[in-house]
């Protein structure tokens, strides 16, 4: 199961979320395991049914003013009870001040409390997007991702079939490399995005040469950080008696992270210019998404002709 | 070289699906394969060619095969026409 350490969260998002830690640094030895947020108002009022304690707890103006309205002993008692739950962290919004007892107890029970200078609404928005990204289903596969005329093309196929060389050729022709060899795929907003599995840069292995740096060699315009995957092309060795698509009326799909992605099985043989064909795949994909399907168009014309002749 | 005349007996004529069937079988063989209709001669291994014939129900096609496995090719293709490409 996915999770993020509170420490890591604070280190990376401190600036974006305008966070400051009001408890001791040792309190951050916890991890966030849910992508959702909770407003623990009812818990502070003593109602613990369905208390989502595994979520980040957001305390806004309402909660803080409620807590401040409580008698000191009562506040201490209820806070103590809440803090028995395994809560990842609290975030107080709008830069509001946190009651002393709460900080004292939080330090004692090692529960981190942050104060954000953002409004509750803003923080909710930012946190939701951030957590959705972190907890999005993802998977890393062997392949190469290129941006061809704005179409995200995932090249797959056996090792040595020529994915890297093909990507290199495409880059040479002015297209962009997203990542070579390992593609991390992330499901977000009903789409699949692909990027490099590790942020080491745009290195690529070319058989016979070794490693090259595509961004350095071809310039920054030759690379792209992240791209939506529109179509997969499986490169395969040409076989004489294999059934290859001849018209293109039927579309094949693969399932990536529960999403359907069109796939094209592309036979390659020595001397064949695969890059041009990949560009054609991308352009054909664009035409189809604009509503023009060449295969349908052509076969409809033939059909009309056959009908016209049979009526004679 | 072998020659044979066949007739289109399925109602819909030679649309995309039967054309694909012909081409897929033809490309498995090494022999050359031509189809002649009226004054058109096309390569039977080319999908565009076969579809361009736009052969309607009742029309006649001349099959022309030439090569080491011509007999098998001609048999299999004729079989397709007889079976009406699995249509009506």
């Amino acid at each position: 199961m996915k999770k993020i350490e509170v420490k890591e969260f604070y280190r990376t998002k401190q600036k974006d979320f305008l966070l400051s830690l009001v408890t001791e640094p040792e309190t951050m030895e916890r991890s966030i395991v849910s992508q959702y947020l909770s407003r623990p108002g009812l818990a502070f009022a003593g109602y613990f049914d369905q208390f989502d304690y595994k979520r980040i707890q957001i305390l806004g103006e309402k909660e803080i003013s409620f807590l401040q309205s409580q008698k000191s002993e009562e506040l201490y008692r209820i806070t103590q009870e809440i803090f028995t739950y395994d809560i990842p962290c609290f975030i107080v919004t709008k830069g509001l001040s946190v009651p002393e007892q709460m900080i004292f107890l939080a330090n004692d029970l090692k529960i981190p409390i942050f104060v954000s200078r953002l409004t509750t609404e803003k923080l909710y928005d930012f946190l939701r997007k951030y957590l959705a990204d972190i907890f999005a289903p993802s998977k890393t596969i062997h392949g190469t991702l290129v941006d061809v005329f704005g179409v995200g093309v995932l090249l797959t196929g056996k090792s040595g079939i020529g994915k890297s060389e093909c990507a290199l050729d495409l880059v040479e022709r002015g297209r962009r490399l997203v990542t070579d060899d390992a593609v991390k795929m992330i499901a977000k907003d009903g789409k699949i995005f692909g990027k490099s599995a590790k942020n080491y840069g745009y290195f690529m292995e070319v058989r016979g040469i070794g490693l090259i740096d595509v961004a350095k060699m071809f310039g920054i315009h030759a690379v792209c950080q992240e791209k939506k995957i529109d179509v997969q092309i499986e490169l395969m060795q040409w076989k004489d008696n294999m059934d290859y698509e001849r018209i293109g009326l039927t579309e094949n799909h693969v399932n990536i992270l529960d999403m359907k992605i069109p796939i094209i099985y592309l036979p390659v043989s020595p001397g064949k210019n695969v890059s041009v064909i990949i560009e054609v795949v991308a352009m054909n994909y664009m035409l189809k998404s604009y509503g023009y399907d060449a295969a349908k168009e052509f076969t409809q014309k033939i059909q009309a002709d056959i009908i016209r002749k049979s009526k004679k | 070289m072998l020659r044979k005349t066949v007739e289109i007996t399925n109602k819909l004529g030679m649309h995309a699906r039967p054309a694909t069937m012909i081409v897929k079988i033809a490309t498995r063989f090494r022999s050359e394969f031509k189809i002649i209709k009226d004054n058109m001669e096309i390569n039977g291994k080319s999908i565009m060619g076969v579809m361009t014939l736009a052969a309607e129900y009742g029309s006649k096609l001349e099959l022309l095969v030439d090569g080491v496995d011509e007999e098998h090719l001609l048999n299999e293709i004729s079989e397709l026409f007889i079976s009406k490409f699995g249509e009506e």
Side-chain angles (χ1 to χ4, degrees), chain A residues 206-239:
Chain A
V206 183
R207 304 274 151 102
I209 300 177
L211 297 184
I212 60 160
D213 185 333
V214 174
K216 273 264 154 50
M217 195 175 273
F218 294 92
I220 197 68
H221 66 272
V223 294
C224 170
Q225 272 191 346
E226 189 182 279
K227 184 75 204 157
K228 181 183 143 228
I229 299 173
D230 295 302
V231 56
Q232 179 177 345
I233 299 180
E234 170 99 5
L235 302 177
M236 47 211 309
Q237 208 78 259
W238 178 280
K239 277 192 210 123

Short mmCIF file of all heavy atoms in Angstrom, two decimals, chain A residues 206-239:
data_model
loop_
_atom_site.label_atom_id
_atom_site.label_comp_id
_atom_site.label_asym_id
_atom_site.label_seq_id
_atom_site.Cartn_x
_atom_site.Cartn_y
_atom_site.Cartn_z
N VAL A 206 22.39 3.32 -26.40
CA VAL A 206 22.36 2.95 -27.81
C VAL A 206 23.37 1.82 -27.98
O VAL A 206 24.54 1.97 -27.64
CB VAL A 206 22.74 4.14 -28.72
CG1 VAL A 206 22.64 3.74 -30.18
CG2 VAL A 206 21.85 5.33 -28.43
N ARG A 207 22.86 0.69 -28.47
CA ARG A 207 23.73 -0.48 -28.62
C ARG A 207 24.94 -0.14 -29.48
O ARG A 207 24.80 0.38 -30.58
CB ARG A 207 22.97 -1.65 -29.28
CG ARG A 207 21.72 -2.05 -28.58
CD ARG A 207 21.95 -3.06 -27.46
NE ARG A 207 20.91 -2.86 -26.45
CZ ARG A 207 19.84 -3.65 -26.32
NH1 ARG A 207 19.70 -4.68 -27.08
NH2 ARG A 207 18.94 -3.40 -25.40
N GLY A 208 26.08 -0.46 -28.95
CA GLY A 208 27.31 -0.22 -29.72
C GLY A 208 27.98 1.09 -29.34
O GLY A 208 29.15 1.29 -29.62
N ILE A 209 27.22 2.01 -28.73
CA ILE A 209 27.82 3.28 -28.32
C ILE A 209 27.89 3.37 -26.81
O ILE A 209 28.90 3.72 -26.22
CB ILE A 209 27.00 4.49 -28.85
CG1 ILE A 209 26.92 4.46 -30.37
CG2 ILE A 209 27.63 5.80 -28.37
CD1 ILE A 209 26.07 5.57 -30.96
N GLY A 210 26.79 3.02 -26.18
CA GLY A 210 26.72 3.14 -24.73
C GLY A 210 25.69 4.19 -24.37
O GLY A 210 24.71 4.36 -25.08
N LEU A 211 25.92 4.92 -23.28
CA LEU A 211 24.94 5.89 -22.83
C LEU A 211 25.14 7.25 -23.49
O LEU A 211 26.27 7.70 -23.69
CB LEU A 211 25.03 6.06 -21.30
CG LEU A 211 24.69 4.82 -20.47
CD1 LEU A 211 24.72 5.17 -19.00
CD2 LEU A 211 23.32 4.27 -20.85
N ILE A 212 24.03 7.86 -23.83
CA ILE A 212 24.08 9.23 -24.35
C ILE A 212 23.06 10.07 -23.57
O ILE A 212 22.14 9.54 -22.96
CB ILE A 212 23.76 9.30 -25.86
CG1 ILE A 212 22.35 8.75 -26.15
CG2 ILE A 212 24.81 8.56 -26.67
CD1 ILE A 212 21.80 9.20 -27.47
N ASP A 213 23.25 11.38 -23.57
CA ASP A 213 22.31 12.29 -22.92
C ASP A 213 21.55 13.02 -24.02
O ASP A 213 22.09 13.90 -24.69
CB ASP A 213 23.09 13.27 -22.03
CG ASP A 213 22.16 14.17 -21.22
OD1 ASP A 213 21.02 14.41 -21.69
OD2 ASP A 213 22.58 14.62 -20.15
N VAL A 214 20.29 12.65 -24.18
CA VAL A 214 19.50 13.19 -25.29
C VAL A 214 19.26 14.69 -25.14
O VAL A 214 19.34 15.45 -26.12
CB VAL A 214 18.15 12.43 -25.41
CG1 VAL A 214 17.25 13.06 -26.44
CG2 VAL A 214 18.42 10.97 -25.77
N ALA A 215 18.99 15.16 -23.91
CA ALA A 215 18.71 16.58 -23.70
C ALA A 215 19.95 17.42 -24.02
O ALA A 215 19.85 18.49 -24.62
CB ALA A 215 18.26 16.82 -22.26
N LYS A 216 21.12 16.93 -23.62
CA LYS A 216 22.37 17.65 -23.90
C LYS A 216 22.69 17.62 -25.39
O LYS A 216 23.10 18.62 -25.98
CB LYS A 216 23.52 17.00 -23.13
CG LYS A 216 23.68 17.52 -21.73
CD LYS A 216 24.73 18.62 -21.69
CE LYS A 216 24.50 19.57 -20.53
NZ LYS A 216 24.30 18.93 -19.24
N MET A 217 22.49 16.47 -25.98
CA MET A 217 22.90 16.28 -27.37
C MET A 217 21.99 16.99 -28.35
O MET A 217 22.45 17.64 -29.28
CB MET A 217 22.92 14.78 -27.66
CG MET A 217 23.66 14.39 -28.91
SD MET A 217 23.73 12.59 -29.06
CE MET A 217 25.20 12.20 -28.14
N PHE A 218 20.68 16.89 -28.13
CA PHE A 218 19.74 17.46 -29.11
C PHE A 218 19.11 18.77 -28.66
O PHE A 218 18.42 19.42 -29.42
CB PHE A 218 18.64 16.44 -29.42
CG PHE A 218 19.14 15.22 -30.12
CD1 PHE A 218 19.54 14.11 -29.41
CD2 PHE A 218 19.24 15.19 -31.51
CE1 PHE A 218 20.02 12.98 -30.04
CE2 PHE A 218 19.70 14.05 -32.16
CZ PHE A 218 20.10 12.95 -31.43
N GLY A 219 19.30 19.11 -27.40
CA GLY A 219 18.72 20.35 -26.89
C GLY A 219 17.46 20.09 -26.09
O GLY A 219 16.85 19.03 -26.20
N ILE A 220 17.09 21.08 -25.32
CA ILE A 220 15.98 20.92 -24.38
C ILE A 220 14.64 20.72 -25.10
O ILE A 220 13.73 20.11 -24.57
CB ILE A 220 15.92 22.13 -23.40
CG1 ILE A 220 15.08 21.82 -22.18
CG2 ILE A 220 15.45 23.42 -24.08
CD1 ILE A 220 15.69 20.78 -21.27
N HIS A 221 14.53 21.19 -26.34
CA HIS A 221 13.27 21.01 -27.08
C HIS A 221 13.05 19.55 -27.49
O HIS A 221 11.98 19.20 -27.95
CB HIS A 221 13.26 21.91 -28.31
CG HIS A 221 14.30 21.51 -29.32
ND1 HIS A 221 15.58 22.01 -29.25
CD2 HIS A 221 14.26 20.66 -30.36
CE1 HIS A 221 16.29 21.46 -30.25
NE2 HIS A 221 15.50 20.64 -30.92
N ALA A 222 14.07 18.72 -27.33
CA ALA A 222 13.95 17.33 -27.75
C ALA A 222 13.40 16.43 -26.65
O ALA A 222 13.29 15.22 -26.84
CB ALA A 222 15.32 16.82 -28.20
N VAL A 223 13.10 17.02 -25.49
CA VAL A 223 12.63 16.20 -24.38
C VAL A 223 11.34 16.76 -23.77
O VAL A 223 10.97 17.90 -24.02
CB VAL A 223 13.71 16.06 -23.28
CG1 VAL A 223 14.90 15.29 -23.79
CG2 VAL A 223 14.13 17.42 -22.76
N CYS A 224 10.69 15.94 -22.97
CA CYS A 224 9.42 16.31 -22.37
C CYS A 224 9.30 15.51 -21.07
O CYS A 224 9.63 14.34 -21.03
CB CYS A 224 8.31 15.94 -23.36
SG CYS A 224 6.66 16.03 -22.73
N GLN A 225 8.87 16.18 -19.99
CA GLN A 225 8.87 15.54 -18.67
C GLN A 225 7.81 14.46 -18.49
O GLN A 225 8.07 13.40 -17.97
CB GLN A 225 8.66 16.60 -17.59
CG GLN A 225 9.96 17.19 -17.13
CD GLN A 225 9.78 18.04 -15.89
OE1 GLN A 225 8.65 18.40 -15.52
NE2 GLN A 225 10.87 18.36 -15.25
N GLU A 226 6.60 14.80 -18.92
CA GLU A 226 5.48 13.89 -18.68
C GLU A 226 4.54 13.99 -19.87
O GLU A 226 4.41 15.06 -20.45
CB GLU A 226 4.76 14.29 -17.40
CG GLU A 226 3.73 13.28 -16.95
CD GLU A 226 2.99 13.73 -15.70
OE1 GLU A 226 3.51 13.57 -14.60
OE2 GLU A 226 1.88 14.26 -15.84
N LYS A 227 3.93 12.87 -20.23
CA LYS A 227 3.04 12.90 -21.39
C LYS A 227 1.90 11.92 -21.20
O LYS A 227 2.10 10.82 -20.70
CB LYS A 227 3.87 12.54 -22.63
CG LYS A 227 3.15 12.60 -23.93
CD LYS A 227 2.94 14.01 -24.37
CE LYS A 227 1.76 14.09 -25.32
NZ LYS A 227 1.17 15.40 -25.37
N LYS A 228 0.72 12.33 -21.62
CA LYS A 228 -0.43 11.43 -21.60
C LYS A 228 -0.20 10.35 -22.66
O LYS A 228 0.21 10.67 -23.78
CB LYS A 228 -1.69 12.22 -21.94
CG LYS A 228 -2.94 11.41 -21.92
CD LYS A 228 -4.12 12.28 -22.34
CE LYS A 228 -5.07 11.47 -23.16
NZ LYS A 228 -5.50 12.11 -24.39
N ILE A 229 -0.42 9.10 -22.29
CA ILE A 229 -0.23 8.01 -23.25
C ILE A 229 -1.51 7.83 -24.07
O ILE A 229 -2.56 7.53 -23.52
CB ILE A 229 0.15 6.69 -22.54
CG1 ILE A 229 1.47 6.88 -21.77
CG2 ILE A 229 0.28 5.55 -23.55
CD1 ILE A 229 1.87 5.70 -20.91
N ASP A 230 -1.42 8.08 -25.38
CA ASP A 230 -2.60 7.99 -26.23
C ASP A 230 -2.67 6.65 -26.94
O ASP A 230 -3.75 6.12 -27.17
CB ASP A 230 -2.57 9.11 -27.28
CG ASP A 230 -2.68 10.48 -26.66
OD1 ASP A 230 -3.67 10.71 -25.96
OD2 ASP A 230 -1.76 11.30 -26.84
N VAL A 231 -1.53 6.15 -27.34
CA VAL A 231 -1.53 4.91 -28.13
C VAL A 231 -0.25 4.11 -27.85
O VAL A 231 0.80 4.69 -27.57
CB VAL A 231 -1.71 5.24 -29.64
CG1 VAL A 231 -0.65 6.20 -30.13
CG2 VAL A 231 -1.69 3.99 -30.51
N GLN A 232 -0.40 2.81 -27.85
CA GLN A 232 0.77 1.95 -27.66
C GLN A 232 1.12 1.29 -28.98
O GLN A 232 0.23 0.86 -29.73
CB GLN A 232 0.47 0.88 -26.60
CG GLN A 232 1.64 -0.06 -26.37
CD GLN A 232 1.37 -1.07 -25.26
OE1 GLN A 232 0.44 -0.92 -24.48
NE2 GLN A 232 2.19 -2.09 -25.21
N ILE A 233 2.40 1.24 -29.29
CA ILE A 233 2.84 0.53 -30.49
C ILE A 233 3.78 -0.57 -30.06
O ILE A 233 4.81 -0.32 -29.45
CB ILE A 233 3.55 1.47 -31.49
CG1 ILE A 233 2.62 2.59 -31.94
CG2 ILE A 233 4.05 0.68 -32.70
CD1 ILE A 233 3.23 3.57 -32.91
N GLU A 234 3.37 -1.82 -30.34
CA GLU A 234 4.22 -2.95 -30.01
C GLU A 234 5.02 -3.30 -31.25
O GLU A 234 4.47 -3.71 -32.27
CB GLU A 234 3.33 -4.13 -29.56
CG GLU A 234 4.07 -5.43 -29.43
CD GLU A 234 4.47 -5.76 -27.99
OE1 GLU A 234 4.07 -5.01 -27.08
OE2 GLU A 234 5.17 -6.77 -27.81
N LEU A 235 6.33 -3.10 -31.16
CA LEU A 235 7.20 -3.43 -32.28
C LEU A 235 7.48 -4.92 -32.23
O LEU A 235 7.81 -5.46 -31.19
CB LEU A 235 8.51 -2.65 -32.20
CG LEU A 235 8.41 -1.13 -32.16
CD1 LEU A 235 9.79 -0.52 -32.00
CD2 LEU A 235 7.76 -0.59 -33.42
N MET A 236 7.30 -5.60 -33.36
CA MET A 236 7.58 -7.02 -33.37
C MET A 236 8.30 -7.44 -34.64
O MET A 236 8.15 -6.83 -35.68
CB MET A 236 6.31 -7.84 -33.14
CG MET A 236 5.12 -7.43 -33.97
SD MET A 236 3.57 -7.70 -33.16
CE MET A 236 3.75 -9.39 -32.67
N GLN A 237 9.09 -8.49 -34.49
CA GLN A 237 9.84 -9.01 -35.63
C GLN A 237 8.86 -9.44 -36.70
O GLN A 237 7.86 -10.07 -36.41
CB GLN A 237 10.63 -10.24 -35.13
CG GLN A 237 11.88 -10.49 -35.89
CD GLN A 237 12.97 -9.52 -35.45
OE1 GLN A 237 13.24 -8.54 -36.11
NE2 GLN A 237 13.59 -9.79 -34.32
N TRP A 238 9.14 -9.08 -37.93
CA TRP A 238 8.28 -9.47 -39.04
C TRP A 238 8.24 -10.99 -39.18
O TRP A 238 9.27 -11.65 -39.21
CB TRP A 238 8.81 -8.85 -40.33
CG TRP A 238 7.99 -9.26 -41.51
CD1 TRP A 238 8.07 -10.44 -42.19
CD2 TRP A 238 6.94 -8.52 -42.12
NE1 TRP A 238 7.12 -10.48 -43.18
CE2 TRP A 238 6.41 -9.31 -43.16
CE3 TRP A 238 6.39 -7.26 -41.87
CZ2 TRP A 238 5.37 -8.87 -43.97
CZ3 TRP A 238 5.35 -6.84 -42.68
CH2 TRP A 238 4.85 -7.63 -43.71
N LYS A 239 7.02 -11.53 -39.23
CA LYS A 239 6.89 -12.97 -39.50
C LYS A 239 6.00 -13.13 -40.71
O LYS A 239 4.98 -12.45 -40.83
CB LYS A 239 6.26 -13.67 -38.29
CG LYS A 239 7.27 -14.00 -37.21
CD LYS A 239 6.65 -14.94 -36.18
CE LYS A 239 7.26 -14.72 -34.82
NZ LYS A 239 6.29 -14.38 -33.79
#
